[in-house]
Coordinates of all heavy atoms in Angstrom, one line a residue:
T553 N -28.7 -10.5 -24.4 CA -28.5 -9.2 -23.9 C -27.5 -9.3 -22.7 O -27.6 -10.3 -21.9 CB -29.8 -8.5 -23.4 OG1 -30.6 -8.4 -24.5 CG2 -29.6 -7.2 -22.8
Y554 N -26.7 -8.3 -22.5 CA -25.7 -8.3 -21.5 C -25.7 -7.0 -20.7 O -25.9 -6.0 -21.3 CB -24.3 -8.5 -22.2 CG -23.1 -8.2 -21.3 CD1 -22.7 -9.2 -20.4 CD2 -22.4 -7.0 -21.3 CE1 -21.5 -9.0 -19.6 CE2 -21.3 -6.8 -20.5 CZ -20.9 -7.8 -19.7 OH -19.8 -7.6 -18.9
R555 N -25.7 -7.1 -19.4 CA -25.7 -5.9 -18.6 C -24.6 -6.0 -17.5 O -24.5 -7.0 -16.8 CB -27.0 -5.7 -17.9 CG -27.0 -4.5 -16.9 CD -28.4 -4.2 -16.4 NE -28.9 -3.2 -17.4 CZ -30.0 -2.4 -17.1 NH1 -30.6 -2.5 -16.0 NH2 -30.4 -1.6 -18.0
N556 N -23.7 -5.0 -17.5 CA -22.6 -5.0 -16.5 C -22.9 -3.8 -15.6 O -23.1 -2.7 -16.1 CB -21.3 -4.8 -17.2 CG -20.1 -5.0 -16.3 OD1 -20.3 -5.2 -15.1 ND2 -18.9 -5.1 -16.8
E557 N -23.0 -4.1 -14.3 CA -23.4 -3.1 -13.3 C -22.3 -2.9 -12.3 O -21.8 -3.8 -11.8 CB -24.7 -3.5 -12.6 CG -25.9 -3.7 -13.6 CD -27.1 -4.2 -12.9 OE1 -27.0 -4.5 -11.6 OE2 -28.2 -4.3 -13.5
L558 N -22.0 -1.6 -12.1 CA -21.0 -1.2 -11.1 C -21.6 -0.3 -10.1 O -22.2 0.8 -10.5 CB -19.8 -0.5 -11.7 CG -18.8 0.1 -10.8 CD1 -18.0 -1.0 -10.0 CD2 -17.8 1.0 -11.5
Y559 N -21.5 -0.6 -8.8 CA -22.1 0.2 -7.7 C -21.0 0.6 -6.7 O -20.2 -0.2 -6.4 CB -23.3 -0.5 -7.0 CG -24.4 -0.8 -7.9 CD1 -24.5 -2.1 -8.5 CD2 -25.3 0.1 -8.3 CE1 -25.6 -2.4 -9.4 CE2 -26.4 -0.2 -9.1 CZ -26.5 -1.4 -9.6 OH -27.5 -1.7 -10.5
V560 N -21.0 1.9 -6.3 CA -20.0 2.3 -5.3 C -20.8 2.9 -4.1 O -21.7 3.7 -4.3 CB -19.1 3.4 -5.9 CG1 -18.2 4.0 -4.9 CG2 -18.4 2.9 -7.1
G561 N -20.4 2.4 -2.9 CA -21.0 2.9 -1.7 C -22.4 2.4 -1.4 O -23.2 3.1 -0.7
G562 N -22.7 1.2 -1.9 CA -24.1 0.7 -1.7 C -24.2 -0.3 -0.6 O -23.2 -0.8 0.0
D563 N -25.4 -0.7 -0.3 CA -25.8 -1.7 0.7 C -26.4 -2.9 0.0 O -26.7 -2.9 -1.2 CB -26.7 -1.1 1.7 CG -26.2 0.1 2.4 OD1 -25.0 0.1 2.7 OD2 -27.0 1.1 2.6
G564 N -26.7 -3.9 0.8 CA -27.5 -5.1 0.4 C -26.5 -6.2 -0.2 O -25.3 -6.0 -0.3
A565 N -27.1 -7.3 -0.6 CA -26.4 -8.4 -1.1 C -25.5 -8.1 -2.3 O -24.4 -8.5 -2.5 CB -27.3 -9.6 -1.4
D566 N -26.1 -7.3 -3.2 CA -25.4 -6.9 -4.4 C -24.7 -5.5 -4.3 O -24.2 -5.0 -5.3 CB -26.3 -6.9 -5.6 CG -26.8 -8.3 -5.9 OD1 -26.1 -9.3 -5.7 OD2 -28.0 -8.4 -6.4
E567 N -24.8 -4.9 -3.2 CA -24.3 -3.6 -2.9 C -24.9 -2.5 -3.9 O -24.2 -1.5 -4.1 CB -22.8 -3.6 -2.9 CG -22.1 -4.5 -1.9 CD -20.6 -4.4 -1.8 OE1 -20.0 -3.6 -2.6 OE2 -20.1 -5.1 -1.1
D568 N -26.1 -2.8 -4.3 CA -26.7 -1.8 -5.3 C -27.7 -0.9 -4.6 O -28.2 0.1 -5.2 CB -27.3 -2.6 -6.4 CG -28.4 -3.6 -6.0 OD1 -28.5 -3.9 -4.8 OD2 -29.2 -4.0 -6.9
E569 N -28.1 -1.2 -3.4 CA -29.1 -0.4 -2.7 C -28.4 0.8 -2.1 O -27.4 0.7 -1.4 CB -29.8 -1.2 -1.5 CG -30.5 -2.4 -2.0 CD -31.0 -3.3 -0.9 OE1 -31.1 -2.8 0.2 OE2 -31.2 -4.5 -1.1
N570 N -29.0 2.0 -2.3 CA -28.5 3.3 -1.8 C -27.1 3.6 -2.3 O -26.3 4.3 -1.6 CB -28.5 3.3 -0.3 CG -29.9 3.1 0.2 OD1 -30.9 3.6 -0.3 ND2 -30.1 2.3 1.2
A571 N -26.6 3.1 -3.4 CA -25.3 3.4 -3.9 C -25.2 4.8 -4.3 O -26.2 5.4 -4.9 CB -25.0 2.5 -5.2
W572 N -24.1 5.5 -4.0 CA -24.0 6.9 -4.4 C -23.6 7.1 -5.8 O -23.8 8.1 -6.4 CB -23.1 7.7 -3.4 CG -21.7 7.3 -3.4 CD1 -21.0 6.3 -2.7 CD2 -20.7 7.9 -4.3 NE1 -19.7 6.3 -3.1 CE2 -19.4 7.3 -4.0 CE3 -20.7 8.9 -5.2 CZ2 -18.3 7.6 -4.7 CZ3 -19.5 9.3 -5.9 CH2 -18.3 8.6 -5.6
L573 N -22.9 6.1 -6.4 CA -22.5 6.1 -7.8 C -22.8 4.8 -8.4 O -22.5 3.7 -7.9 CB -21.0 6.5 -7.9 CG -20.4 6.5 -9.3 CD1 -21.0 7.6 -10.1 CD2 -18.9 6.6 -9.1
S574 N -23.3 4.9 -9.7 CA -23.5 3.6 -10.4 C -23.2 3.8 -11.9 O -23.4 5.0 -12.4 CB -25.0 3.1 -10.3 OG -25.9 3.9 -10.9
A575 N -22.7 2.8 -12.5 CA -22.5 2.8 -14.0 C -23.1 1.5 -14.5 O -22.8 0.4 -14.0 CB -21.0 2.9 -14.3
I576 N -23.9 1.6 -15.5 CA -24.6 0.5 -16.1 C -24.3 0.4 -17.6 O -24.7 1.4 -18.3 CB -26.1 0.4 -15.8 CG1 -26.3 0.4 -14.3 CG2 -26.8 -0.7 -16.5 CD1 -27.7 0.5 -13.8
L577 N -23.7 -0.7 -18.0 CA -23.4 -0.8 -19.4 C -24.3 -1.9 -20.0 O -24.4 -3.0 -19.5 CB -21.9 -1.3 -19.6 CG -21.5 -1.7 -21.0 CD1 -21.4 -0.5 -21.9 CD2 -20.2 -2.5 -21.0
D578 N -25.1 -1.5 -21.1 CA -25.9 -2.5 -21.8 C -25.3 -2.8 -23.1 O -24.8 -2.0 -23.8 CB -27.3 -1.9 -22.0 CG -28.1 -1.8 -20.7 OD1 -28.1 -2.8 -20.0 OD2 -28.7 -0.7 -20.4
A579 N -25.4 -4.1 -23.5 CA -24.7 -4.6 -24.7 C -25.3 -5.9 -25.1 O -26.1 -6.5 -24.3 CB -23.2 -4.8 -24.5
T580 N -25.0 -6.4 -26.2 CA -25.3 -7.8 -26.6 C -24.0 -8.5 -26.9 O -23.0 -7.8 -27.2 CB -26.2 -7.8 -27.9 OG1 -25.6 -7.1 -28.9 CG2 -27.6 -7.2 -27.6
W581 N -24.0 -9.8 -26.8 CA -22.8 -10.5 -27.1 C -23.1 -11.8 -27.8 O -24.2 -12.3 -27.8 CB -22.0 -10.8 -25.8 CG -22.7 -11.8 -24.9 CD1 -23.6 -11.6 -24.0 CD2 -22.5 -13.3 -24.9 NE1 -24.0 -12.7 -23.4 CE2 -23.3 -13.8 -23.9 CE3 -21.7 -14.1 -25.6 CZ2 -23.4 -15.1 -23.7 CZ3 -21.7 -15.5 -25.4 CH2 -22.6 -16.0 -24.4
C582 N -22.1 -12.3 -28.5 CA -22.2 -13.6 -29.2 C -20.8 -14.2 -29.3 O -19.8 -13.5 -29.1 CB -22.8 -13.4 -30.6 SG -21.8 -12.4 -31.7
E583 N -20.8 -15.5 -29.6 CA -19.4 -16.1 -29.9 C -18.9 -15.4 -31.1 O -19.6 -15.2 -32.1 CB -19.6 -17.6 -30.1 CG -19.9 -18.3 -28.8 CD -19.9 -19.8 -29.0 OE1 -19.9 -20.3 -30.2 OE2 -20.0 -20.5 -28.0
W584 N -17.6 -15.1 -31.1 CA -17.0 -14.5 -32.2 C -16.8 -15.4 -33.4 O -16.4 -16.6 -33.3 CB -15.6 -13.9 -31.8 CG -14.8 -13.2 -32.8 CD1 -15.3 -12.1 -33.5 CD2 -13.4 -13.3 -33.1 NE1 -14.2 -11.7 -34.3 CE2 -13.1 -12.4 -34.0 CE3 -12.4 -14.2 -32.6 CZ2 -11.8 -12.3 -34.6 CZ3 -11.2 -14.1 -33.1 CH2 -10.9 -13.1 -34.1
D585 N -17.1 -14.9 -34.6 CA -17.0 -15.8 -35.8 C -15.6 -15.8 -36.5 O -15.4 -16.4 -37.5 CB -18.0 -15.4 -36.8 CG -17.8 -13.9 -37.3 OD1 -16.8 -13.3 -36.9 OD2 -18.7 -13.5 -38.1
G586 N -14.7 -15.1 -35.9 CA -13.3 -15.1 -36.4 C -13.0 -13.9 -37.3 O -11.9 -13.7 -37.7
V587 N -14.0 -13.1 -37.8 CA -13.8 -12.0 -38.7 C -13.3 -10.9 -37.8 O -14.0 -10.5 -36.8 CB -15.1 -11.6 -39.4 CG1 -14.8 -10.4 -40.3 CG2 -15.5 -12.8 -40.3
Y588 N -12.2 -10.3 -38.2 CA -11.6 -9.1 -37.4 C -12.5 -7.9 -37.6 O -13.1 -7.6 -38.6 CB -10.2 -8.8 -37.9 CG -9.2 -9.9 -37.4 CD1 -8.7 -10.8 -38.3 CD2 -8.9 -10.0 -36.1 CE1 -7.8 -11.7 -37.9 CE2 -8.0 -11.0 -35.7 CZ -7.5 -11.9 -36.6 OH -6.6 -12.8 -36.2
L589 N -12.6 -7.1 -36.5 CA -13.4 -5.9 -36.5 C -12.7 -4.7 -37.0 O -13.2 -3.8 -37.6 CB -13.8 -5.6 -35.0 CG -14.7 -6.7 -34.4 CD1 -15.0 -6.3 -32.9 CD2 -16.0 -6.9 -35.1
D590 N -11.3 -4.7 -36.9 CA -10.5 -3.5 -37.3 C -9.4 -4.0 -38.3 O -8.5 -4.6 -37.9 CB -9.9 -2.9 -36.0 CG -9.1 -1.7 -36.3 OD1 -9.0 -1.3 -37.5 OD2 -8.5 -1.1 -35.4
G591 N -9.5 -3.6 -39.5 CA -8.6 -4.0 -40.5 C -7.2 -3.2 -40.4 O -6.3 -3.6 -41.0
D592 N -7.2 -2.2 -39.6 CA -5.9 -1.4 -39.4 C -5.1 -1.9 -38.3 O -4.0 -1.5 -38.1 CB -6.3 0.1 -39.2 CG -6.9 0.7 -40.4 OD1 -6.7 0.2 -41.5 OD2 -7.7 1.6 -40.2
S593 N -5.5 -2.9 -37.5 CA -4.8 -3.4 -36.3 C -3.6 -4.2 -36.8 O -3.6 -5.0 -37.7 CB -5.8 -4.3 -35.5 OG -5.0 -4.9 -34.5
A594 N -2.5 -3.9 -36.1 CA -1.3 -4.7 -36.4 C -1.4 -6.1 -36.0 O -0.8 -7.0 -36.6 CB -0.1 -4.1 -35.6
E595 N -2.3 -6.4 -35.0 CA -2.5 -7.7 -34.5 C -3.2 -8.6 -35.6 O -2.9 -9.8 -35.7 CB -3.4 -7.7 -33.3 CG -3.6 -9.1 -32.7 CD -4.4 -9.0 -31.4 OE1 -4.9 -7.9 -31.1 OE2 -4.4 -10.0 -30.6
D596 N -4.0 -8.0 -36.5 CA -4.6 -8.8 -37.5 C -3.9 -8.8 -38.9 O -4.4 -9.3 -39.8 CB -6.1 -8.5 -37.7 CG -6.3 -7.1 -38.4 OD1 -5.4 -6.6 -38.9 OD2 -7.5 -6.6 -38.3
G597 N -2.7 -8.2 -38.9 CA -2.0 -8.2 -40.1 C -2.5 -7.3 -41.2 O -2.1 -7.4 -42.3
G598 N -3.4 -6.4 -40.8 CA -3.9 -5.4 -41.8 C -4.8 -6.0 -42.8 O -5.0 -5.5 -43.9
G599 N -5.4 -7.2 -42.5 CA -6.2 -7.9 -43.5 C -7.6 -7.4 -43.7 O -8.3 -7.9 -44.5
G600 N -8.0 -6.4 -43.0 CA -9.3 -5.8 -43.2 C -10.4 -6.8 -42.6 O -10.1 -7.7 -41.9
N601 N -11.6 -6.4 -42.9 CA -12.7 -7.2 -42.4 C -12.9 -8.6 -42.9 O -13.6 -9.4 -42.5 CB -14.1 -6.4 -42.6 CG -14.2 -5.2 -41.8 OD1 -13.6 -5.2 -40.7 ND2 -14.9 -4.2 -42.2
D602 N -12.1 -8.9 -44.0 CA -12.2 -10.2 -44.6 C -11.2 -11.2 -43.9 O -11.2 -12.4 -44.2 CB -11.8 -10.2 -46.1 CG -12.9 -9.4 -46.9 OD1 -14.1 -9.4 -46.4 OD2 -12.6 -8.8 -47.9
A603 N -10.3 -10.6 -43.1 CA -9.3 -11.5 -42.4 C -10.0 -12.3 -41.4 O -10.9 -11.9 -40.7 CB -8.2 -10.6 -41.7
V604 N -9.6 -13.6 -41.2 CA -10.2 -14.5 -40.3 C -9.1 -15.1 -39.4 O -8.0 -15.4 -39.9 CB -10.9 -15.6 -41.1 CG1 -11.5 -16.6 -40.1 CG2 -12.0 -15.0 -41.9
A605 N -9.4 -15.3 -38.2 CA -8.4 -15.9 -37.2 C -8.0 -17.2 -37.7 O -8.8 -18.0 -38.3 CB -9.0 -16.0 -35.9
E606 N -6.8 -17.6 -37.4 CA -6.2 -18.9 -37.8 C -6.6 -20.0 -36.8 O -5.9 -21.0 -36.7 CB -4.7 -18.8 -37.9 CG -4.2 -17.8 -39.0 CD -4.6 -18.3 -40.3 OE1 -4.6 -19.6 -40.6 OE2 -4.9 -17.5 -41.2
E607 N -7.6 -19.8 -36.0 CA -8.1 -20.9 -35.1 C -9.2 -21.7 -35.7 O -9.9 -21.2 -36.6 CB -8.6 -20.2 -33.8 CG -7.6 -19.4 -33.0 CD -8.2 -18.8 -31.8 OE1 -9.0 -19.4 -31.1 OE2 -7.8 -17.7 -31.5
K608 N -9.3 -22.9 -35.2 CA -10.4 -23.8 -35.8 C -11.8 -23.3 -35.4 O -12.7 -23.4 -36.1 CB -10.1 -25.2 -35.4 CG -8.9 -25.8 -36.0 CD -8.8 -27.3 -35.7 CE -7.5 -27.7 -36.4 NZ -7.3 -29.1 -36.5
D609 N -11.9 -22.9 -34.1 CA -13.2 -22.4 -33.6 C -12.9 -21.2 -32.7 O -12.8 -21.3 -31.4 CB -13.9 -23.5 -32.7 CG -15.2 -23.1 -32.2 OD1 -15.7 -22.0 -32.6 OD2 -15.8 -23.8 -31.4
P610 N -12.8 -20.0 -33.3 CA -12.5 -18.8 -32.4 C -13.6 -18.5 -31.4 O -13.3 -17.9 -30.4 CB -12.3 -17.7 -33.5 CG -13.0 -18.2 -34.7 CD -12.9 -19.7 -34.7
G611 N -14.8 -18.9 -31.7 CA -16.0 -18.6 -30.8 C -15.9 -19.4 -29.5 O -16.5 -19.1 -28.5
A612 N -15.1 -20.5 -29.5 CA -14.9 -21.3 -28.3 C -14.2 -20.5 -27.2 O -14.4 -20.8 -26.0 CB -14.2 -22.6 -28.6
T613 N -13.4 -19.6 -27.6 CA -12.6 -18.8 -26.6 C -12.8 -17.3 -26.6 O -12.2 -16.6 -25.8 CB -11.1 -19.1 -26.7 OG1 -10.7 -18.7 -28.1 CG2 -10.8 -20.6 -26.5
T614 N -13.5 -16.8 -27.6 CA -13.6 -15.4 -27.8 C -15.1 -14.9 -28.0 O -15.8 -15.6 -28.7 CB -12.8 -15.0 -29.0 OG1 -11.4 -15.5 -28.9 CG2 -12.7 -13.5 -29.2
W615 N -15.4 -13.8 -27.4 CA -16.7 -13.2 -27.5 C -16.7 -11.9 -28.2 O -15.8 -11.0 -27.9 CB -17.4 -13.1 -26.2 CG -17.5 -14.4 -25.5 CD1 -18.5 -15.3 -25.6 CD2 -16.5 -15.1 -24.7 NE1 -18.2 -16.5 -24.9 CE2 -17.0 -16.3 -24.4 CE3 -15.2 -14.7 -24.3 CZ2 -16.2 -17.2 -23.6 CZ3 -14.5 -15.6 -23.5 CH2 -15.0 -16.8 -23.1
K616 N -17.7 -11.5 -29.0 CA -17.8 -10.2 -29.6 C -19.0 -9.5 -28.9 O -20.1 -10.0 -28.7 CB -18.2 -10.3 -31.1 CG -18.4 -9.0 -31.7 CD -18.8 -9.2 -33.2 CE -19.1 -7.9 -33.9 NZ -20.6 -7.8 -34.1
V617 N -18.7 -8.3 -28.4 CA -19.6 -7.5 -27.6 C -20.0 -6.3 -28.5 O -19.1 -5.6 -28.9 CB -19.1 -7.1 -26.2 CG1 -20.1 -6.2 -25.5 CG2 -18.8 -8.3 -25.4
D618 N -21.3 -6.1 -28.7 CA -21.8 -4.9 -29.4 C -22.4 -4.0 -28.3 O -23.4 -4.3 -27.7 CB -22.9 -5.3 -30.4 CG -22.3 -6.1 -31.5 OD1 -21.3 -5.7 -32.1 OD2 -22.9 -7.1 -31.9
F619 N -21.7 -2.8 -28.1 CA -22.2 -1.9 -27.1 C -23.4 -1.2 -27.5 O -23.6 -0.7 -28.6 CB -21.1 -0.9 -26.8 CG -19.8 -1.6 -26.3 CD1 -18.7 -1.7 -27.1 CD2 -19.7 -2.0 -25.0 CE1 -17.5 -2.3 -26.6 CE2 -18.6 -2.7 -24.5 CZ -17.5 -2.8 -25.3
E620 N -24.4 -1.0 -26.5 CA -25.6 -0.3 -26.8 C -25.6 1.1 -26.1 O -25.8 2.1 -26.7 CB -26.8 -1.1 -26.4 CG -27.0 -2.4 -27.2 CD -28.0 -3.3 -26.8 OE1 -28.7 -3.0 -25.7 OE2 -28.3 -4.4 -27.4
S621 N -25.4 1.0 -24.7 CA -25.4 2.3 -24.0 C -24.7 2.1 -22.6 O -24.5 1.0 -22.1 CB -26.9 2.7 -23.7 OG -27.5 1.8 -22.8
I622 N -24.3 3.2 -22.1 CA -23.8 3.3 -20.7 C -24.5 4.5 -20.0 O -24.7 5.5 -20.6 CB -22.2 3.4 -20.7 CG1 -21.8 3.2 -19.2 CG2 -21.8 4.7 -21.3 CD1 -20.3 3.0 -19.1
T623 N -24.9 4.2 -18.7 CA -25.6 5.2 -17.9 C -24.8 5.4 -16.6 O -24.5 4.4 -15.9 CB -27.0 4.8 -17.7 OG1 -27.7 4.6 -18.9 CG2 -27.7 5.9 -16.8
L624 N -24.6 6.7 -16.3 CA -23.9 7.0 -15.0 C -25.0 7.7 -14.1 O -25.7 8.6 -14.6 CB -22.8 7.9 -15.2 CG -21.6 7.4 -16.0 CD1 -20.5 8.5 -16.2 CD2 -21.0 6.1 -15.5
S625 N -25.1 7.3 -12.9 CA -26.0 7.9 -11.9 C -25.3 8.2 -10.6 O -24.4 7.5 -10.2 CB -27.2 6.9 -11.6 OG -27.9 6.5 -12.8
V626 N -25.8 9.3 -10.0 CA -25.3 9.7 -8.7 C -26.5 9.8 -7.8 O -27.5 10.5 -8.1 CB -24.6 11.1 -8.8 CG1 -24.2 11.6 -7.4 CG2 -23.4 11.0 -9.7
F627 N -26.5 9.1 -6.7 CA -27.5 9.0 -5.7 C -28.9 8.6 -6.4 O -29.9 9.2 -6.0 CB -27.7 10.3 -4.9 CG -26.5 10.7 -4.1 CD1 -25.6 11.7 -4.5 CD2 -26.1 9.9 -3.0 CE1 -24.5 12.0 -3.7 CE2 -25.0 10.2 -2.2 CZ -24.2 11.2 -2.6
G628 N -28.8 7.7 -7.3 CA -30.0 7.2 -8.0 C -30.5 8.1 -9.1 O -31.5 7.7 -9.7
V629 N -29.9 9.2 -9.4 CA -30.3 10.1 -10.4 C -29.4 10.0 -11.6 O -28.2 10.2 -11.5 CB -30.4 11.6 -9.9 CG1 -30.8 12.5 -11.0 CG2 -31.3 11.7 -8.7
S630 N -30.0 9.6 -12.8 CA -29.2 9.5 -14.0 C -28.7 10.9 -14.4 O -29.4 11.8 -14.5 CB -30.1 8.9 -15.1 OG -29.3 8.9 -16.3
I631 N -27.3 10.9 -14.5 CA -26.7 12.2 -14.9 C -26.1 12.2 -16.4 O -25.9 13.2 -16.9 CB -25.6 12.6 -13.9 CG1 -24.5 11.6 -13.9 CG2 -26.2 12.9 -12.6 CD1 -23.2 12.1 -13.2
F632 N -26.0 11.0 -16.9 CA -25.4 10.9 -18.2 C -25.7 9.5 -18.8 O -25.6 8.5 -18.2 CB -23.9 11.0 -18.1 CG -23.1 10.7 -19.4 CD1 -23.0 11.7 -20.3 CD2 -22.5 9.5 -19.6 CE1 -22.3 11.5 -21.5 CE2 -21.8 9.3 -20.8 CZ -21.7 10.3 -21.8
T633 N -26.2 9.5 -20.1 CA -26.4 8.3 -20.9 C -25.7 8.5 -22.2 O -26.0 9.5 -22.9 CB -27.8 8.0 -21.0 OG1 -28.4 7.7 -19.7 CG2 -28.0 6.7 -21.9
Q634 N -24.9 7.5 -22.6 CA -24.2 7.6 -23.9 C -24.8 6.4 -24.7 O -24.6 5.2 -24.3 CB -22.7 7.4 -23.8 CG -22.0 7.2 -25.1 CD -22.1 8.4 -26.0 OE1 -21.8 9.5 -25.6 NE2 -22.4 8.2 -27.2
R635 N -25.4 6.6 -25.8 CA -25.8 5.6 -26.7 C -24.7 5.4 -27.8 O -24.4 6.4 -28.4 CB -27.2 5.9 -27.3 CG -28.3 6.1 -26.3 CD -29.6 5.6 -26.7 NE -30.6 5.9 -25.8 CZ -30.8 5.1 -24.7 NH1 -30.1 4.1 -24.4 NH2 -31.8 5.4 -23.8
F636 N -24.3 4.2 -28.0 CA -23.2 3.9 -28.9 C -23.8 3.8 -30.3 O -24.9 3.3 -30.5 CB -22.5 2.7 -28.5 CG -21.8 2.8 -27.2 CD1 -22.3 2.3 -26.1 CD2 -20.6 3.5 -27.0 CE1 -21.7 2.4 -24.8 CE2 -19.9 3.7 -25.8 CZ -20.5 3.1 -24.7
E637 N -23.0 4.2 -31.3 CA -23.3 4.0 -32.7 C -23.4 2.5 -33.0 O -22.6 1.8 -32.5 CB -22.3 4.7 -33.6 CG -22.3 6.2 -33.5 CD -21.3 6.8 -34.5 OE1 -21.0 6.2 -35.5 OE2 -20.8 7.9 -34.2
A638 N -24.2 2.2 -34.0 CA -24.3 0.8 -34.4 C -22.9 0.3 -34.9 O -22.2 1.1 -35.5 CB -25.3 0.6 -35.5
G639 N -22.5 -0.8 -34.5 CA -21.2 -1.3 -34.9 C -20.1 -1.1 -33.9 O -19.0 -1.4 -34.2
T640 N -20.4 -0.4 -32.8 CA -19.4 -0.2 -31.8 C -19.2 -1.5 -31.1 O -20.1 -1.9 -30.3 CB -19.8 0.9 -30.8 OG1 -20.1 2.1 -31.6 CG2 -18.7 1.2 -29.8
S641 N -18.1 -2.2 -31.4 CA -17.9 -3.6 -30.9 C -16.5 -3.7 -30.4 O -15.6 -3.0 -30.7 CB -18.2 -4.5 -32.0 OG -19.4 -4.4 -32.5
W642 N -16.3 -4.8 -29.6 CA -15.0 -5.2 -29.1 C -15.0 -6.7 -29.0 O -16.1 -7.3 -28.8 CB -14.7 -4.6 -27.8 CG -13.2 -4.7 -27.5 CD1 -12.7 -5.6 -26.6 CD2 -12.2 -3.9 -27.9 NE1 -11.3 -5.4 -26.5 CE2 -11.0 -4.3 -27.3 CE3 -12.1 -2.8 -28.8 CZ2 -9.7 -3.8 -27.6 CZ3 -10.8 -2.3 -29.1 CH2 -9.7 -2.8 -28.4
T643 N -13.9 -7.4 -29.1 CA -13.8 -8.8 -28.9 C -12.9 -9.1 -27.6 O -12.0 -8.4 -27.4 CB -13.2 -9.6 -30.1 OG1 -11.9 -9.0 -30.4 CG2 -14.1 -9.5 -31.3
W644 N -13.3 -10.1 -26.8 CA -12.6 -10.5 -25.7 C -12.2 -11.9 -25.8 O -13.0 -12.7 -26.2 CB -13.4 -10.3 -24.4 CG -13.3 -9.0 -23.8 CD1 -12.4 -8.5 -22.9 CD2 -14.2 -7.8 -24.1 NE1 -12.6 -7.2 -22.6 CE2 -13.7 -6.8 -23.3 CE3 -15.2 -7.6 -25.0 CZ2 -14.3 -5.5 -23.4 CZ3 -15.8 -6.4 -25.0 CH2 -15.3 -5.4 -24.2
R645 N -11.1 -12.2 -25.3 CA -10.6 -13.6 -25.3 C -10.4 -14.1 -23.9 O -10.1 -13.5 -23.0 CB -9.2 -13.7 -26.1 CG -8.6 -15.0 -26.0 CD -7.5 -15.0 -27.0 NE -8.0 -15.8 -28.1 CZ -7.2 -16.4 -28.9 NH1 -5.9 -16.3 -28.8 NH2 -7.6 -17.1 -29.9

């Protein structure tokens, strides 16, 4: 499980105490297996989901993140939560 937290205007060591604005992204991640997520991308040559990167170990340098939800809060009160559809993913290198 992966959690990315952003706090604006907060106190404390992590600046998360009394923040007036916060955004929290929850996701899971794994080493990428080399299978492209988007078959329409010009970067992958249009090979579809069966296309595989030409690297020996793409997971050594690239991660696949499956998004679960993002929550925005103002003065500690949640004002918006977006739950992502299954399969909403991105890869980072």
Side-chain angles (χ1 to χ4, degrees):
T553 301
Y554 169 79
R555 175 171 269 199
N556 193 349
E557 301 175 353
L558 171 69
Y559 298 98
V560 177
D563 302 318
D566 295 328
E567 298 184 4
D568 60 344
E569 299 172 24
N570 302 317
W572 69 269
L573 176 67
S574 67
I576 299 176
L577 173 70
D578 288 312
T580 57
W581 69 273
C582 62
E583 288 185 351
W584 183 48
D585 62 5
V587 175
Y588 289 108
L589 299 176
D590 180 3
D592 296 329
S593 172
E595 187 176 8
D596 71 14
N601 289 333
D602 295 330
V604 176
E606 295 295 326
E607 296 179 39
K608 291 184 182 196
D609 183 9
T613 59
T614 307
W615 300 270
K616 177 180 175 254
V617 177
D618 294 310
F619 299 104
E620 295 174 356
S621 68
I622 188 167
T623 301
L624 302 177
S625 300
V626 176
F627 298 108
V629 177
S630 175
I631 61 168
F632 174 78
T633 297
Q634 171 68 49
R635 300 212 182 284
F636 297 100
E637 293 181 25
T640 303
S641 303
W642 194 260
T643 56
W644 273 270
R645 176 169 254 206

